[in-house]
Amino acid sequence: MIHLILGNPKDIHVSHLTEALKERDSIVFHLNSRLLPVKLKAAWNSQIQNCYFTLTDGYKLRIEDIHSIFLRRISDPCVPSLGNSKQERIAFDDSMTTLRVILKSSPAFWVNNWEVSYRIHEEKPLQLVSAKKIGIKVPVTITTNDPEEVSKFAESNQKVIFKPVCGGAWTQTLTSYHLEPARLNLALKISPVTFQEYIPGTNIRTYVIDKSVYSAEVKSESVDFRKDKSCELIPFDLPDNICQQSLSIAKELGLVWTAIDWRLTPDNEYVFLEANSNPLFLYFERKTGFPITNELVTLLTKKY
C-alpha cells in the first residue's frame, strides 16, 4: 500500500507519521512542493495512468498507485529568478496549477482534502458562519480594516482580542495603546484584522479523527496558549453533546482530521473558537497518552 505525505520530510510530524506507516508495512513517499519545478518533475496526461511525479531520487510515482495522501503542508513552488516579475509570476502560477491538477486527478483518499484545507486555513472567519449555522455558539467577531468599526466594536465589548485573518501570528488583547487613532489607522492600512469578543474560561482542545474524539483541558494564563511553554494538558471528558458537536463541525467543514479549540465559560457553556485542518499533534499525544498517531495510520490505511 502506497501513501504520499505532502510536506518536508524533515518536519518531525512528517517523519513520525512516516515511521508509523512503515510499521504497518506501508510504502511512504514524500512530496515537498517547494522543490517544483527545479528538483521535482511532474507530468499530467488526460490518460490518468500516465500522470506522475519524478521525485528527487529519480523514482517515478504514478498517482493512480497512491492509496492515501496526508496533507501536512503545501509550500509554494520555488521558481528560478528570471529578472522579470511578470515572467516569474507566470512560472509560479504554471507550477502551482500543474501540482494542483496532478494531485486532484488522484483517486487517493485525502487527509485532508486540499481545497477544504485551503478554505479552512485561509478563510478562517467563515468557520464561525458554518458553526453558527448548525447551532453552535461562537464569539461575536468582525474582520475589518475600518478604524471606526474597530472603535465601535471595542466600545461594545468589555474585552477584545485580535489576530490575523488567516493566521501566522499570536492572538493579542486589544488595549488603548492599539486603539490610539494614528497607530490604529496605520495598522489597518497594512491589512484587515480579525477582532473578537474575549470569552473568559478554560481552553479545551479537541481532536477529531474520523469518528474518534479526544479532548484535553489546556491550563494556561496566556491569551494564546500556543506561546505558553509551561501550559499543562490534562485529558478531559467532553460531554456527549459537545462530542457530537465536534463531529458535526468536522462534517460541516468537510474535515476527517482536525483540532478544534473551545472555551468553556464559568457558566459551563462551550464556545467554538476555530478548527485547524492541519494541526500539530505530537506534543498533545505525548502529554495525554491519546492514540492520535494510531488513529491517523488506521485512517490512512483503511480500505476505501
Side-chain angles (χ1 to χ4, degrees):
M1 191 177 287
I2 293 177
H3 308 278
L4 178 64
I5 299 180
L6 302 179
N8 189 330
K10 294 182 180 179
D11 180 311
I12 60 171
H13 284 75
V14 171
S15 59
H16 173 81
L17 192 55
T18 297
E19 292 307 311
L21 282 165
K22 287 181 177 179
E23 288 176 5
R24 297 272 189 101
D25 296 323
S26 293
I27 300 169
V28 184
F29 292 99
H30 305 110
L31 193 151
N32 182 356
S33 50
R34 185 160 178 76
L35 301 180
L36 187 71
V38 177
K39 297 181 179 180
L40 180 70
K41 295 184 178 64
W44 182 86
N45 192 305
S46 58
Q47 304 297 316
I48 297 302
Q49 63 268 27
N50 293 325
C51 297
Y52 62 86
F53 293 102
T54 302
L55 306 178
T56 54
D57 61 359
Y59 183 85
K60 185 178 288 187
L61 177 62
R62 299 191 308 163
I63 63 164
E64 67 169 354
D65 294 334
I66 303 169
H67 176 76
S68 65
I69 299 173
F70 183 83
L71 197 167
R72 172 70 189 112
R73 176 160 292 136
I74 295 177
S75 301
D76 288 343
C78 188
V79 301
S81 176
L82 303 174
N84 182 305
S85 59
K86 183 177 180 180
Q87 289 181 347
E88 288 172 3
R89 185 71 224 181
I90 292 171
F92 173 85
D93 289 344
D94 285 348
S95 295
M96 181 58 86
T97 298
T98 300
L99 177 70
R100 187 166 57 244
V101 166
I102 294 174
L103 287 173
K104 290 172 71 172
S105 297
S106 171
F109 174 73
W110 283 71
V111 179
N112 283 295
N113 176 281
W114 185 344
E115 289 184 349
V116 170
S117 294
Y118 176 87
R119 185 179 74 247
I120 297 307
H121 179 71
E122 301 291 338
E123 301 168 0
K124 285 188 175 183
L126 292 181
Q127 294 183 21
L128 302 178
V129 176
S130 297
K132 191 174 180 179
K133 185 173 71 174
I134 58 176
I136 293 168
K137 185 171 178 60
V138 302
V140 177
T141 305
I142 65 169
T143 294
T144 184
N145 67 335
D146 186 336
E148 289 186 16
E149 285 295 319
V150 177
S151 297
K152 287 192 295 184
F153 191 77
E155 289 173 5
S156 62
N157 289 278
Q158 187 173 5
K159 186 175 180 180
V160 174
I161 59 173
F162 67 95
K163 52 190 175 181
V165 181
C166 72
W170 306 119
T171 298
Q172 299 181 58
T173 301
L174 187 68
T175 67
S176 56
Y177 171 84
H178 301 108
L179 290 169
E180 194 278 318
R183 182 172 290 106
L184 184 62
N185 284 327
L186 178 61
L188 295 180
K189 283 180 180 178
I190 296 172
S191 73
V193 177
T194 291
F195 299 87
Q196 193 170 77
E197 65 168 325
Y198 173 76
I199 306 295
T202 303
N203 297 304
I204 305 293
R205 169 153 282 205
T206 297
Y207 282 82
V208 175
I209 311 106
D210 198 14
K211 303 300 180 185
S212 298
V213 179
Y214 300 98
S215 296
E217 177 184 347
V218 184
K219 284 190 171 292
S220 173
E221 297 300 320
S222 177
V223 172
D224 192 327
F225 67 79
R226 293 172 301 173
K227 65 179 181 179
D228 182 0
K229 294 182 179 179
S230 63
C231 72
E232 293 182 71
L233 285 169
I234 302 170
F236 186 83
D237 289 328
L238 208 62
D240 289 344
N241 65 315
I242 306 302
C243 281
Q244 188 54 54
Q245 284 190 359
S246 300
L247 292 167
S248 297
I249 289 170
K251 182 178 180 181
E252 180 68 23
L253 297 178
L255 301 170
V256 293
W257 154 241
T258 183
I260 296 171
D261 289 327
W262 302 93
R263 287 285 276 181
L264 175 57
T265 72
D267 296 329
N268 206 37
E269 186 174 39
Y270 286 82
V271 181
F272 169 78
L273 300 181
E274 68 175 72
N276 191 326
S277 63
N278 183 20
L280 304 177
F281 63 91
L282 288 179
Y283 182 79
F284 181 91
E285 183 174 58
R286 284 197 297 266
K287 292 296 182 180
T288 63
F290 290 139
I292 305 296
T293 300
N294 184 65
E295 292 275 9
L296 283 173
V297 170
T298 297
L299 181 60
L300 288 164
T301 56
K302 194 174 174 181
K303 292 185 178 180
Y304 299 98

